[in-house]
Amino acid sequence: FPMAATDPQVLALAAQITESTEQDIPLLLLKLKGILSSPSLGCEESNKIKQDIYDYGLTQYCLLVLKRDHSQLPGAWATAAQLAEILSHCCVGLEVKEDPEEFYKKFLPSAIDSLLVLGKRLQARFVRTIKDKEKQDFLHWFQTVTEAICWLFGGHIQLAACVLQNDRFLQLLITDDVETAIIMMSVLHNILRINSSVLLQVEEETLHSVLDELVYKLSSTTNPAVGSAATKLLLLVAKFCKQLVQLLTARYKGLKGLLSKQWTGKGFDREVNQLLDLLYLEQSNGKGEMQKQHQAACTIQAAWRGFQTRKRLKKLPQAVITLQRSFRAKREQELQHLTKQKEDEALKLQMQLQRQRAMRLFHERQLALLEVVHPSQVNKYMQEMEEKSALTIQRFWRGYRARKIFYQQKQSLKEHKAAIIIQRAAYKFLEKRRRRRPLSPWKEPKGLTDEQRLALQQKVDDYIKLHPASQMSEEMSKELHMQAQAKLAQFLLQSRLDQRAAQRREALLAQVNTDVELLMNAPGLAETTEKDLGAFMSRSIPVATKARQSHNTMLKYTRWPWWKKLGDEFMEDDVIPDGATNTELETLFIGGRK
């Protein structure tokens, strides 16, 4: 510890942290906020306290705590956000005289990296959270961390390039969430405002990634807040360096059209017009078709790279979750295997003990029986015991063999049943096809032989003798014939009249349906034209319309996929089911007289 006069609060806090456990250190470090924000401190006293805090290692403690798992800290994310704010305030205004390279080249970049990691985790939690209260809390903590980052590189300008080149800053900027995207674009705006030459200091790949993301946000969103922030950033970039304006004009060919068509009249026309003026000044007049295609390909590639980067970033947590799940499943499987092995060993030992106990009881029972049985009956008793033992062994063996044979035949039995089911289905299919097959053409029967003809003639003669016909005169026969002819003519005339009446009824019903449909689809009286009047005065238009609808319906049926015609597999090709055309033909006008 230094020997110069030290602030007593800092000294006391350093002593408490030295004597405290690791779990209590984060809460003790929060007291630095009260020490730094004391209203009685002047500029020199504040810098002296910051120097004491750094000399006693409290700033290093804050950085170490931020590198831990934030969810395990007391107070969790709220404590981490406050420590980030304290760390940035402790570093701004601090001038390290002893070993400055350690502070400026290692400590400050490490602090920036830790704050960006904390911001990335808060952003991920904010996106995944569903409850509104938790989302507001995570958004507040995220904004606190970003403000701490801005405060830190505002006090140390050389850190602006370090922030911009950090991969986590690009990950924070590439997001589809509106609120966090606006906050990150404000951070980028502060970087460019504090150190306007930082874009020329970073690598070309980093510069292209930042510009690609800004242009992608303009092309993929309609939110005015996101569009305004992205436009202002591009305007700031274009105002800074003419080289960057040339890059915007050459790399993003459709940027001018996008700004003029999509973002004009959104409330920030002044910035849009200024950016368009700068872009049009750099646009050359002699651009060929090849250059247009090149710029279009660059725009597509920028959008594709942004999409691919987002896709990889979205899949990264899922990959980690999958890895953790597989590891836990493997560990659980190993634990189950060990548990099962121990149970098997315990069961084997228990069975061995039971077997030994049973053998001992059996021998004791045999000795007891030998003492009771007369010596002359010992041989007979032993023979009976051997027979019983043989029967027991045979019974167990036959049961084992029968079970084994059954399990061997089980698969063949299942295959036999499956074959029976398949054969039954095939027989049913063949029977259906046979029934629906058209009848074979009539074949002329074979001629009768002379003996068969004589036998049939004899049967006919015998029947006529047994059933003689009644005699009728010629006049009665003619009269009966005339009556039959008159009734037949009357029936044919009546059936023709009934058929015409049925056709007329169908025509009238179809005409009524057509008129009703035309009236329902007709425009209002105020919107009626002479063309609409012609539809009601002439019958040709509705007839043609309904005929066209009927024709389209039949065409649709012929183009149906095979799975829609499964029920009609045995129908003729030229037969169309009534249900396919009834809906259209019911309202078709059938020509005829009223």
Side-chain angles (χ1 to χ4, degrees):
F1 292 138
M3 301 303 295
T6 307
D7 186 89
Q9 294 180 346
V10 177
L11 186 61
L13 182 59
Q16 289 181 5
I17 291 176
T18 305
E19 297 174 359
S20 300
T21 60
E22 186 179 358
Q23 194 69 17
D24 299 330
I25 290 177
L27 298 178
L28 292 174
L29 290 173
L30 294 179
K31 295 180 180 180
L32 290 173
K33 187 174 183 180
I35 296 174
L36 293 171
S37 60
S38 178
S40 61
L41 294 176
C43 183
E44 295 181 1
E45 289 83 2
S46 177
N47 292 337
K48 179 64 173 60
I49 288 177
K50 293 177 182 178
Q51 185 67 43
D52 294 338
I53 291 172
Y54 181 79
D55 292 338
Y56 278 87
L58 300 182
T59 310
Q60 291 84 342
Y61 266 119
C62 291
L63 183 58
L64 291 175
V65 171
L66 286 177
K67 289 183 177 180
R68 292 168 51 190
D69 187 5
H70 307 105
S71 60
Q72 302 297 328
L73 294 177
W77 301 103
T79 303
Q82 295 180 29
L83 288 176
E85 187 178 8
I86 291 170
L87 178 62
S88 64
H89 281 80
C90 289
C91 293
V92 174
L94 178 62
E95 295 181 1
V96 178
K97 297 180 181 179
E98 296 180 3
D99 196 7
E101 186 175 358
E102 175 72 19
F103 177 74
Y104 291 105
K105 297 295 182 62
K106 295 183 179 180
F107 182 82
L108 289 179
S110 179
I112 285 291
D113 186 72
S114 298
L115 293 180
L116 289 174
V117 170
L118 176 59
K120 179 60 182 174
R121 293 179 179 175
L122 287 171
Q123 186 188 52
R125 292 296 182 102
F126 171 77
V127 173
R128 291 199 302 265
T129 304
I130 300 175
K131 298 181 179 179
D132 293 336
K133 180 63 172 60
E134 295 180 0
K135 287 184 77 70
Q136 293 299 326
D137 292 338
F138 279 112
L139 183 62
H140 172 69
W141 297 330
F142 179 76
Q143 193 165 6
T144 302
V145 174
T146 54
E147 289 174 357
I149 295 172
C150 294
W151 183 263
L152 189 55
F153 67 69
H156 301 278
I157 301 177
Q158 73 276 8
L159 293 178
C162 180
V163 173
L164 202 58
Q165 288 179 345
N166 197 302
D167 293 336
R168 292 181 178 84
F169 176 80
L170 186 60
Q171 294 174 4
L172 287 168
L173 185 62
I174 299 175
T175 178
D176 293 330
D177 183 72
V178 175
E179 297 173 341
T180 57
I182 293 173
I183 293 174
M184 290 309 302
M185 284 191 285
S186 67
V187 174
L188 182 58
H189 189 276
N190 290 331
I191 293 174
L192 298 178
R193 182 175 53 83
I194 291 171
N195 187 2
S196 57
S197 63
V198 68
L199 291 177
L200 299 179
Q201 299 173 7
V202 299
E203 298 178 357
E204 185 179 2
E205 184 179 358
T206 303
L207 176 60
H208 289 174
S209 299
V210 173
L211 295 178
D212 289 347
E213 182 59 24
L214 294 177
V215 175
Y216 176 80
K217 289 186 184 301
L218 286 175
S219 63
S220 64
T221 184
T222 57
N223 191 298
V226 178
S228 175
T231 303
K232 290 178 181 178
L233 280 173
L234 290 176
L235 179 60
L236 189 62
V237 170
K239 284 182 177 180
F240 166 68
C241 182
K242 185 177 180 181
Q243 181 181 356
L244 296 179
V245 179
Q246 294 176 355
L247 177 62
L248 289 174
T249 306
R251 187 174 176 86
Y252 311 108
K253 179 64 179 176
L255 182 58
K256 295 184 289 298
L258 177 66
L259 290 171
S260 59
K261 292 180 181 179
Q262 185 171 343
W263 295 108
T264 303
K266 299 293 184 178
F268 49 96
D269 290 345
R270 184 169 61 87
E271 289 81 6
V272 172
N273 292 332
Q274 291 178 6
L275 182 57
L276 286 173
D277 292 339
L278 292 174
L279 293 176
Y280 278 118
L281 286 175
E282 290 296 325
Q283 185 179 13
S284 59
N285 296 326
K287 290 186 177 180
E289 187 66 24
M290 186 62 68
Q291 187 176 1
K292 293 181 180 180
Q293 295 179 359
H294 177 70
Q295 296 304 326
C298 290
T299 304
I300 296 172
Q301 289 173 0
W304 175 251
R305 291 192 193 99
F307 169 76
Q308 287 290 81
T309 306
R310 284 186 184 79
K311 189 175 180 181
R312 286 196 298 270
L313 291 176
K314 287 180 180 180
K315 286 184 177 180
L316 184 60
Q318 186 65 29
V320 175
I321 293 172
T322 304
L323 182 61
Q324 292 176 350
R325 187 187 297 116
S326 61
F327 173 75
R328 294 191 187 101
K330 185 177 180 181
R331 185 174 60 184
E332 184 67 21
Q333 187 177 2
E334 290 178 354
L335 291 175
Q336 291 179 359
H337 179 69
L338 291 175
T339 305
K340 185 177 180 181
Q341 188 175 1
K342 290 180 180 179
E343 291 177 355
D344 292 342
E345 291 178 356
L347 181 61
K348 188 183 297 184
L349 181 60
Q350 186 178 2
M351 292 294 295
Q352 187 177 0
L353 292 175
Q354 290 180 359
R355 192 178 295 109
Q356 291 178 356
R357 190 179 298 112
M359 289 295 295
R360 186 169 60 252
L361 292 175
F362 176 72
H363 289 306
E364 290 177 357
R365 194 182 301 112
Q366 277 190 337
L367 291 175
L369 288 174
L370 288 175
E371 292 177 356
V372 175
V373 177
H374 193 270
S376 61
Q377 300 294 327
V378 170
N379 293 331
K380 183 179 180 181
Y381 171 74
M382 295 299 293
Q383 186 176 1
E384 291 177 356
M385 292 299 297
E386 290 177 357
E387 291 178 355
K388 289 182 179 180
S389 300
L391 290 174
T392 303
I393 294 172
Q394 291 173 0
R395 184 171 64 254
F396 277 96
W397 167 250
R398 292 192 187 98
Y400 166 75
R401 186 175 60 182
R403 285 191 296 272
K404 185 176 180 181
I405 293 173
F406 173 75
Y407 285 122
Q408 290 177 352
Q409 294 178 351
K410 189 175 182 180
Q411 183 64 25
S412 60
L413 182 62
K414 186 184 295 184
E415 294 176 355
H416 178 69
K417 290 182 178 179
I420 292 174
I421 293 172
I422 294 172
Q423 290 174 359
R424 187 184 296 120
Y427 291 152
K428 287 183 179 180
F429 171 74
L430 294 174
E431 182 65 21
K432 276 186 182 179
R433 191 169 66 177
R434 186 185 62 79
R435 290 178 180 177
R436 298 192 180 188
R437 189 177 298 167
L439 296 175
S440 58
W442 180 81
K443 295 181 180 180
E444 184 180 358
K446 297 180 180 181
L448 297 175
T449 61
D450 294 337
E451 296 177 357
Q452 291 176 348
R453 190 177 293 106
L454 290 175
L456 288 175
Q457 186 64 37
Q458 184 64 34
K459 288 182 179 180
V460 170
D461 295 337
D462 295 341
Y463 183 84
I464 291 174
K465 289 180 181 178
L466 292 175
H467 305 87
S470 58
Q471 297 294 329
M472 182 180 295
S473 63
E474 185 177 359
E475 291 80 9
M476 293 178 63
S477 199
K478 290 181 179 179
E479 183 180 359
L480 183 61
H481 176 70
M482 294 299 294
Q483 292 178 1
Q485 290 292 332
K487 288 184 178 181
L488 178 61
Q490 185 178 2
F491 171 76
L492 294 175
L493 179 62
Q494 187 64 32
S495 63
R496 191 176 295 111
L497 292 175
D498 292 341
Q499 185 177 5
R500 289 180 180 178
Q503 290 180 355
R504 183 182 178 189
R505 283 195 300 272
E506 291 178 359
L508 290 175
L509 287 174
Q511 180 182 354
V512 169
N513 290 331
T514 305
D515 293 339
V516 169
E517 186 175 358
L518 289 174
L519 288 173
M520 291 179 67
N521 297 329
L525 294 177
E527 302 173 356
T528 305
T529 61
E530 292 183 1
K531 186 178 180 180
D532 297 326
L533 294 176
F536 290 95
M537 296 175 64
S538 174
R539 291 293 177 186
S540 60
I541 294 177
V543 169
T545 302
K546 292 305 174 181
R548 183 164 54 254
Q549 292 178 358
S550 176
H551 179 68
N552 291 336
T553 303
M554 294 181 182
L555 289 178
K556 287 179 182 178
Y557 175 76
T558 58
R559 296 170 183 170
W560 276 359
W562 62 270
W563 49 269
K564 279 192 176 182
K565 298 181 180 180
L566 286 178
D568 305 325
E569 57 185 348
F570 298 113
M571 292 178 59
E572 297 293 334
D573 294 335
D574 57 345
V575 177
I576 299 176
D578 295 334
T581 56
N582 280 345
T583 56
E584 298 293 338
L585 292 177
E586 283 177 357
T587 58
L588 179 61
F589 175 77
I590 301 174
R593 296 180 180 179
K594 293 186 177 180

